[in-house]
Amino acid sequence: MLIAGTKTNVCCESTARDAYMLDYRVVMLSDCTATSSDEEHAAALNTFQLYFGDVMTVDEVTVRMQSVTDRQAGAVR
């Protein structure tokens, strides 16, 4: 599950933690989330990455998804 939105340290983190507790693999999109200060944003992302899931940029997720798609296409051939 990809998480994007405002209030990284409140709404986004709450949604991401709930998803983790429901056994979803969760990625917080660091460049698609924001909060009141850079410090709060960084702290929320750090805590999430340490205990609950991955933190990646949209570009990093895109590359990973493309490589999966490419491998799947190769397996079909």
Side-chain angles (χ1 to χ4, degrees), residues 2 6 8 10 15 18-19 25 27 29 32 36-39 43-44 49-50 55 57 67-68 72 77:
L2 303 176
T6 57
T8 310
V10 182
T15 300
D18 284 348
R25 181 167 178 212
V27 177
L29 298 172
C32 292
S36 303
S37 73
D38 290 341
E39 293 80 14
Q49 187 166 25
L50 285 172
V55 174
T57 65
S67 68
V68 169
Q72 289 174 342
R77 293 180 190 160

Side-chain angles (χ1 to χ4, degrees), residues 16-68:
R17 285 184 184 207
D18 284 348
Y20 170 82
M21 294 301 190
L22 294 170
D23 291 327
Y24 284 91
R25 181 167 178 212
V26 186
V27 177
M28 278 267 232
L29 298 172
S30 60
D31 56 346
C32 292
T33 54
T35 196
S36 303
S37 73
D38 290 341
E39 293 80 14
E40 290 174 326
H41 180 72
L45 294 176
N46 186 51
T47 299
F48 186 78
Q49 187 166 25
L50 285 172
Y51 300 106
F52 300 105
D54 294 319
V55 174
M56 303 171 80
T57 65
V58 169
D59 289 343
E60 291 169 332
V61 169
T62 302
V63 167
R64 288 220 183 159
M65 291 176 81
Q66 186 61 52
S67 68
V68 169

